[in-house]
């Protein structure tokens, strides 16, 4: 028998072993903080800056466009706040317009509102600061038992942005939650507007992921706000909201 034939299986085994994916393990790591401030300005690439300048100027012009006026400064806070109330109301209206039927409630995570809305001019850039993420508006069909569980979670964290819902918070539990002025029926299905991030049960709002149906609208939340403000401005309206006790600390 040819000796080369006998050695062939050994050769193939060696080649295949060498082709197997290697497993790497991190044995040590280190990091260095590089400050991006006035001290690094001397290191800037001037040619690159000059190349970017026209794009920067064009972007700044777009971001500085005024799309409306706010009657008051709005900030996010708990258990309710001007900014969270305004945001949740916009969510519910946009979802109702999309479905062409009333949506029962909306939920907005306060942590997702990344800046304040100042009194006076509202610019496109400010809306990018407020909503820096590429989240989308979604509509959920949620059972009343899930909505009640959601209310308790909202109460446990001290409040979130809501619209259509009213409830108290007492000892970390939801007190007398109502939708449209009626007690929440655990056997009823409610339409809930929110963003795609929360619809995955994130930010501890796990009941939102227990929907029986979900409608992905494809509407970017940031664009939804910009369009709402532009539409109100065209009607001659100033953007305003109020604290109305939709979430309150019960004694």
């Amino acid at each position: 028998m040819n000796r080369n034939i006998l050695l062939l299986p050994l050769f193939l085994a060696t080649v295949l072993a060498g082709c197997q994916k290697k497993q790497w393990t991190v044995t040590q790591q280190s990091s260095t903080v590089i400050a991006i401030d006035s001290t690094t300005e001397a290191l800037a690439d001037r040619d690159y800056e000059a190349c970017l300048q026209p794009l920067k100027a064009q972007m700044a012009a777009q971001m500085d466009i005024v799309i409306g006026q706010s009657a008051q400064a709005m900030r996010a806070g708990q258990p309710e706040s001007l900014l969270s109330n305004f945001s949740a109301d916009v969510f519910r209206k946009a979802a109702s317009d999309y479905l062409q039927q009333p949506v029962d409630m909306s939920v907005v995570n306060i942590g997702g509102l990344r800046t304040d809305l100042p009194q006076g001019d509202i610019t496109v850039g400010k809306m990018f600061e407020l909503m820096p993420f590429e989240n989308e508006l979604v509509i959920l069909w949620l059972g009343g038992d899930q909505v009640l569980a959601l209310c308790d979670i909202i109460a446990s964290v001290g409040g979130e942005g809501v619209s259509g819902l009213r409830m108290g918070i007492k000892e970390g539990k939801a007190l007398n939650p109502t939708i449209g002025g009626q007690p929440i029926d655990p056997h009823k299905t409610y339409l809930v507007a929110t963003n795609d991030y929360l619809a995955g049960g994130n930010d501890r709002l796990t009941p939102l992921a227990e929907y029986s149906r979900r409608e992905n609208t494809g509407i970017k939340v940031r664009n939804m706000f910009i369009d709402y403000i532009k539409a109100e401005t065209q009607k001659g309206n100033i953007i305003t909201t109020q604290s109305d006790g939709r979430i309150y600390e019960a004694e």
Side-chain angles (χ1 to χ4, degrees), residues 32-101:
T32 301
V33 176
I34 301 176
I36 306 298
D37 53 27
S38 59
T39 63
T40 57
E41 183 64 23
L43 304 176
D45 187 323
R46 303 305 174 190
D47 291 337
Y48 191 63
E49 280 189 334
C51 181
L52 289 179
Q53 189 57 39
L55 179 60
K56 182 180 178 181
Q58 182 181 3
M59 183 66 69
Q62 293 176 352
M63 292 296 104
D64 289 342
I65 294 174
V66 176
I67 57 175
Q69 298 284 320
S70 176
Q72 72 265 71
M74 301 184 196
R75 297 177 178 83
Q78 295 174 305
E80 70 167 327
S81 65
L82 294 179
L83 185 57
S84 58
N85 286 0
F86 165 71
S87 300
D89 288 344
V90 173
F91 264 82
R92 188 157 67 106
K93 182 184 186 308
S96 298
D97 290 346
Y98 178 86
L99 287 182
Q100 296 186 342
Q101 70 178 89

